[in-house]
Amino acid sequence: MPALLTPADLALELTRQDPGERPVVLDVRWRLGGPPGRADHAAGHVPGAVYVDLDTELAGPPGPEGRHPLPPPEQLQAVLRRAGMSGTSRVVAYDDGNGSVAARAWWLLRWAGFAPEQVAVLDGGYAAWVAEGHPVSDSPVEPVPGDVVVRPASMPVLDADAAAELVRAGVLLDARAGARYRGETEPVDPRAGHIPGARNAPATDNVGPDGRWLGPAELAARFGELGVNGGVPVGAYCGSGVNAAALVLALEHAGLTPIERPAALYVGSWSNWSADPARPAATGAQP
């Protein structure tokens, strides 16, 4: 299964006669500042999709490590089992934005030990699913509990020190909007600005006007302009480790990072960095 799955391909997967061969579908719709996406899920979702909440299920409690730190492995395992996952499940996640929240679920499942070919993001998300005329459901979903075992640390993770070092040894990408990167505004975190030396690569630019992800060549050209050429170490951060996961996916989709050596994610991101007054902050358009 490719990392980006079209609505038509997902619809075909969901017609498999054997329920055990159908992918587990995760609805991870979420908005910064709320309200939670659970009401949207109840109003209509991909048939069979299980709602999973980013704030309470795909992240640990906010604190010194950031606003969306890694969830405890036992918590994540319980969530995935509730969604009906086993170790051999294939999983497709979708949101109703630019794919970044779904990419966080994709990244977290890879971190938890799922193989690359087991996990995908729905290209274009829920909007594309509806636009193509695929069925929706408002029926509650209660899958048979699964028995997956979470095996954490299968994706590279940065802390603040490692992020600072990567600026010197490679390329660190900042997935936030340009205004936040430049320090013109900071609606959420303690300080404005960016990690000195980081380069701005807004996650919103991973997709085109239709909400579908750009092709590999377009993404490779975009990241190439930022100094990513496949020969240097690369990492990504954002506000709290959500949007940056979309850069990890985009870099892999572009062929700039091999599946066995994905880009590293600074999970704590700016919410962790900016909370430490000893960490410097740069402003303006330049790294």
Side-chain angles (χ1 to χ4, degrees), residues 20 24 80-81 83-91 109 114 118 144-149 151:
V24 174
L80 302 185
R81 288 184 174 187
M85 292 184 206
S86 70
T88 59
S89 293
R90 295 177 302 139
V91 188
L109 289 167
F114 281 78
Q118 289 181 263
V144 176
D147 59 1
V148 65
V149 175
R151 296 180 172 86

Side-chain angles (χ1 to χ4, degrees), residues 94-213:
Y94 71 86
D95 58 32
D96 59 356
N98 60 24
S100 293
V101 182
R104 167 66 178 233
W106 168 88
W107 183 92
L108 197 57
L109 289 167
R110 291 272 299 271
W111 174 83
F114 281 78
E117 64 272 13
Q118 289 181 263
V119 191
V121 166
L122 180 62
D123 193 6
Y126 189 67
W129 177 268
V130 173
E132 291 189 9
H134 298 295
V136 299
S137 171
D138 60 3
S139 299
V141 179
E142 296 183 5
V144 176
D147 59 1
V148 65
V149 175
V150 165
R151 296 180 172 86
S154 296
M155 291 286 272
V157 174
L158 301 173
D159 60 12
D161 287 339
E165 176 59 31
L166 185 59
V167 168
R168 295 186 286 271
V171 177
L172 181 64
L173 299 175
D174 184 324
R176 296 174 301 161
R180 289 184 70 189
Y181 172 85
R182 294 188 296 270
E184 296 165 4
T185 182
E186 182 45 67
V188 188
D189 293 315
R191 287 186 289 156
H194 60 266
I195 297 174
R199 306 174 192 186
N200 194 208
T204 51
D205 293 349
N206 288 334
V207 301
D210 60 355
R212 306 295 180 103
W213 288 65

